[in-house]
Amino acid sequence: MHKLLENSPGKKVFYLGNEAIARGALEAGVACATTYPGTPSSEISLSLFQVSKETDLYFEYSVNEKVALEVAAAAANTGVRSFCMMKHVGMNVAADVLMTLSYIGVKAGLVILTADDPFMFSSQNEQDNRYYGKLAGLPILEPSTPQEAKDMMISGMEMSEKLGVPVILRTTTRVNHSTAQVTLGEIGPINIKGSFTKNPFMMVAIPAVSRRLHTRLLARLAEAEKLADDSPANFIEGGGPLGIVVNGVSYNYVKDAIAELGIAEKVSVFRMGFSNPAPKGKIAAFLKGKEKILVAEEGEPFMEEMIKAVAQENGVIIPIKGKAEGLFSREGEFDPALVRGVMARFFGVADTPPARIDQAGIPEIPARPPNLCAGCPHRATFYEVHQAAGDRSTIFPTDIGCYTLGVLPPLSAADFLICMGSSAGTSAGFSKFTKDKTIAFIGDSTFFHSGIAGLVNAVFNNHNFTLVIVDNGTTAMTGHQPHPGVDMVEMGFSGYNRVSIENVVRGLGVQTVVVTDPYKVKKSIEAIKEALDAPGISVVISRQICPLYARSVKRPRRGPFTVTDKCKNHRTCVDKLGCPAMYVEAGKVRINAEQCTGCAVCAQVCPENAIVPFKG
């Protein structure tokens, strides 16, 4: 039995924040859960994916976030509780649905989780998705701990049903990836039998209908504001004249800082866990008698602007600061020392940080740039594309995935990147207005996510570039989640179909399509040359399984290789491939047998055939 299915109410267990959220979904009786994988939300979907094997929960890895929200929205309007989760940039893809779904509303609870990523540990930007809640007119809940994340999953579902609108559960990386004690509740019954009552003049968003729905949404928002004022998620601690307003993980940092600075008698803390719509009544009450207010929130000055507005409406004139030079930045992630230092400066108290641990004698960890894994087929593909392109002047638009690491030397196969699925679209622009040969890269999962649209556009408008689809048989970067091209039987699941990338590409009208095995270097170079020479749109499908995924599905492992005395030390293998299994010792190239996956690509690029299978 999956550990999240233990039905022992009151028992205390240690969960990762994302596991606690998945458990909250089970306790809330979620019947439909949808997603497109993305860090820092990935473990929520992985947990529910595994749980779906043992329960009536319907779970799907959708083709992208927009489709995921469409599936969940329909399910919620048949009367079954639904949950749609994504990382923060996924909300940009889902936004087209979100903005009108807030008008249409829901019949049963629908919680939409957005996992924001301050400091961009694994993202292309650090957008603050609380503004999506304000833009769409939807309630936002923000937990500070894994326990709260679980509990807010349940209360958010109940609030969604009460108001008839989706509720946004907004987390940040540090809450998603913290481990803490969580008290279990009872797993809720799952209602999987929905029904749909037609009411097109309230559910088909034509202009005449939407005008009425907008009026209804604003009324629901006013009702939500009353809930925010009374919500236990918005609470005040302490009674001092110095005020601090916090949300999310900042609450924990502020609590520690108050104790370390010895200012507990002087400070009042307003923790805002229900942050949209603004709890104006509670904010106004908090402002009374305060000398100054500090707002500690990662990301943008969302609460700060809200509190300044309420202060102005109530004629309160005191310093209210948060994002300012010398205080908090709009960039990056907070940590306890940073928060303590800002509080000390703002409130004019001495900051005497705890003595640092003596690290004398501990050797420094050597700096190591991010790199593709040993044996990654993308490395071979990039090498082969460079060889096939030869002396041509090239532009390499790329996309979101492991292969984005191709930006680094010696591979140097990434020149432009905006977002998921953008490589095909941007290639059209580059190829239209330059004489350079445009060669775009996109992963198999990203191709299904949103790359198809760019390719359709390119075919229709008769653009001229080569799209290289690096197909490693899984969504590798986020932890080997399935996509429509994956063999689900190999993953242990049945009842799924499998979509052929090659058939899709040919069906779109691409005339030149070649399929290569990047581990066969010479054949791949010749095939890629053929694609590069073809006029118009050509597609290369470079297909070889991710070596880490191959290990997880128990495929036989290839034997490692070694460098013999025939080596003349040209170092072509090192200089052109940069495989982390290779290293230089005493001036000679060596291969770490533990890391080597036996792909044999280095053996094929060696000019002296000095690299051979290891016979230990």
Side-chain angles (χ1 to χ4, degrees):
M1 182 178 74
H2 196 283
K3 67 177 182 179
L4 293 183
L5 291 174
E6 181 177 358
N7 207 7
S8 306
K11 183 177 180 180
K12 298 183 186 302
V13 297
F14 277 94
Y15 277 163
L16 186 71
N18 280 342
E19 292 174 330
I21 293 167
R23 171 72 188 200
L26 297 175
E27 291 184 11
V30 165
C32 174
T34 60
T35 190
Y36 182 82
T39 305
S41 71
S42 299
E43 295 87 356
I44 309 172
S45 49
L46 175 62
S47 298
L48 294 177
F49 180 46
Q50 294 167 340
V51 163
S52 69
K53 267 186 173 181
E54 304 178 45
T55 67
D56 288 334
L57 169 70
Y58 174 75
F59 176 89
E60 74 168 43
Y61 280 111
S62 305
V63 71
N64 64 30
E65 296 84 356
K66 177 176 180 289
V67 173
L69 186 52
E70 289 165 345
V71 173
N77 274 292
T78 68
V80 301
R81 288 187 166 185
S82 301
F83 179 34
C84 183
M85 68 220 85
M86 61 195 74
K87 69 178 295 176
H88 63 318
V89 290
M91 193 69 102
N92 302 331
V93 184
D96 205 15
V97 183
L98 182 74
M99 291 302 146
T100 306
L101 179 61
S102 65
Y103 282 35
I104 298 288
V106 293
K107 301 301 181 191
L110 170 56
V111 171
I112 303 169
L113 180 134
T114 167
D116 289 10
D117 189 14
F119 195 63
M120 298 173 280
F121 289 99
S122 56
S123 308
Q124 62 268 44
N125 69 40
E126 52 184 336
Q127 68 189 49
D128 188 332
N129 276 3
R130 289 177 295 179
Y131 290 100
Y132 268 116
K134 192 168 187 177
L135 183 63
L138 297 178
I140 302 174
L141 300 178
E142 297 187 71
S144 296
T145 64
Q147 177 73 57
E148 272 201 333
K150 179 182 84 73
D151 294 342
M152 285 185 176
M153 184 70 216
I154 301 165
S155 61
M157 195 63 70
E158 293 167 349
M159 188 193 306
S160 173
E161 286 184 352
K162 179 179 177 65
L163 296 174
V165 295
V167 168
I168 293 175
L169 181 60
R170 186 246 186 184
T171 58
T172 55
T173 306
R174 213 45 55 185
V175 173
N176 293 102
H177 289 168
S178 293
T179 298
Q181 185 172 279
V182 173
T183 303
L184 300 182
E186 189 169 354
I187 293 178
I190 296 179
N191 169 33
I192 59 172
K193 294 182 179 178
S195 62
F196 182 67
T197 303
K198 292 185 178 183
N199 188 359
F201 295 103
M202 289 301 285
M203 303 188 79
V204 178
I206 58 175
V209 172
S210 294
R211 291 183 194 113
R212 289 201 306 274
L213 295 180
H214 193 192
T215 301
R216 186 181 68 175
L217 174 63
L218 295 177
R220 288 172 166 176
L221 198 58
E223 189 179 350
E225 186 177 325
K226 295 176 185 174
L227 294 179
D229 261 333
D230 296 333
S231 172
N234 295 330
F235 58 81
I236 296 170
E237 294 176 335
L242 306 179
I244 305 178
V245 182
V246 297
N247 70 331
V249 73
S250 302
Y251 171 61
N252 306 308
Y253 300 155
V254 164
K255 283 179 60 176
D256 288 346
I258 290 173
E260 291 167 3
L261 294 172
I263 56 174
E265 301 300 319
K266 303 176 182 176
V267 172
S268 300
V269 178
F270 181 10
R271 203 300 297 267
M272 202 178 299
F274 185 167
S275 59
N276 192 69
K280 291 183 178 178
K282 194 165 277 185
I283 294 172
F286 183 72
L287 291 174
K288 287 181 180 177
K290 296 295 181 297
E291 296 174 1
K292 58 196 314 188
I293 301 286
L294 178 66
V295 184
E297 56 185 328
E298 290 176 329
E300 301 297 321
F302 184 85
M303 295 191 306
E304 182 182 342
E305 292 170 352
M306 176 192 299
I307 292 161
K308 286 177 177 176
V310 174
Q312 195 277 336
E313 290 171 359
N314 288 272
V316 176
I317 304 175
I318 57 173
I320 300 173
K321 294 186 180 297
K323 306 293 180 182
E325 188 173 350
L327 297 178
F328 293 114
S329 171
R330 292 167 63 186
E331 299 177 69
E333 189 181 42
F334 290 1
D335 61 54
L338 182 150
V339 171
R340 187 185 61 243
V342 171
M343 287 172 59
R345 286 194 293 277
F346 186 72
F347 293 129
V349 297
D351 180 15
T352 52
R356 301 189 66 176
I357 298 173
D358 183 8
Q359 297 181 332
I362 300 176
E364 288 190 11
I365 298 174
R368 188 177 62 178
N371 199 351
L372 295 172
C373 302
C376 175
H378 302 332
R379 175 179 291 102
T381 303
F382 293 141
Y383 171 81
E384 290 152 5
V385 167
H386 277 298
Q387 296 301 306
D391 295 332
R392 300 182 220 211
S393 179
T394 55
I395 301 174
F396 295 128
T398 192
D399 229 292
I400 303 288
C402 304
Y403 50 95
T404 316
L405 291 172
V407 68
L408 299 170
L411 304 173
S412 302
D415 294 322
F416 195 79
L417 168 64
I418 298 177
C419 62
M420 291 281 286
S422 67
S423 62
T426 55
S427 291
F430 286 119
S431 62
K432 193 72 176 176
F433 297 103
T434 73
K435 294 180 180 178
D436 300 320
K437 178 61 186 179
T438 302
I439 307 171
F441 297 99
I442 193 167
D444 42 349
S445 184
T446 312
F447 174 74
F448 285 115
H449 177 279
S450 48
I452 291 176
L455 187 58
V456 170
N457 175 72
V459 172
F460 174 71
N461 288 297
N462 198 27
H463 287 294
N464 181 16
F465 63 85
T466 298
L467 180 65
V468 180
I469 302 173
V470 282
D471 179 6
N472 61 7
T474 186
T475 311
M477 188 175 71
T478 49
H480 304 140
Q481 293 86 2
H483 59 67
V486 165
D487 180 357
M488 293 295 284
V489 174
E490 193 168 38
M491 293 189 76
F493 286 82
S494 59
Y496 290 85
N497 291 313
R498 187 176 184 184
V499 179
S500 162
I501 293 177
E502 186 176 355
N503 289 347
V504 169
V505 171
R506 292 190 188 280
L508 294 179
V510 178
Q511 298 299 312
T512 303
V513 181
V514 298
V515 181
T516 67
D517 177 351
Y519 286 172
K520 297 178 179 177
V521 175
K522 288 183 180 178
K523 286 186 176 179
S524 293
I525 293 172
E526 291 305 312
I528 294 170
K529 280 182 180 176
E530 176 191 341
L532 298 185
D533 291 338
I537 297 298
S538 58
V539 168
V540 176
I541 302 172
S542 180
R543 180 172 294 146
Q544 183 56 254
I545 192 169
C546 164
L548 298 182
Y549 180 59
R551 194 179 305 172
S552 72
V553 294
K554 313 296 184 189
R555 286 201 185 181
R557 188 174 181 180
R558 302 164 188 247
F561 277 62
T562 189
V563 183
T564 67
D565 292 340
K566 290 170 66 177
C567 174
K568 304 295 184 186
N569 218 16
H570 290 97
R571 301 192 183 183
T572 305
C573 52
V574 173
D575 295 341
K576 297 293 185 183
L577 299 177
C579 178
M582 310 193 85
Y583 61 100
V584 177
E585 183 180 69
K588 294 290 185 180
V589 176
R590 297 284 184 259
I591 296 176
N592 183 327
E594 293 299 319
Q595 288 194 52
C596 179
T597 64
C599 71
V601 172
C602 56
Q604 295 173 68
V605 305
C606 176
E608 295 99 12
N609 297 319
I611 301 176
V612 299
F614 175 72
K615 298 178 181 177

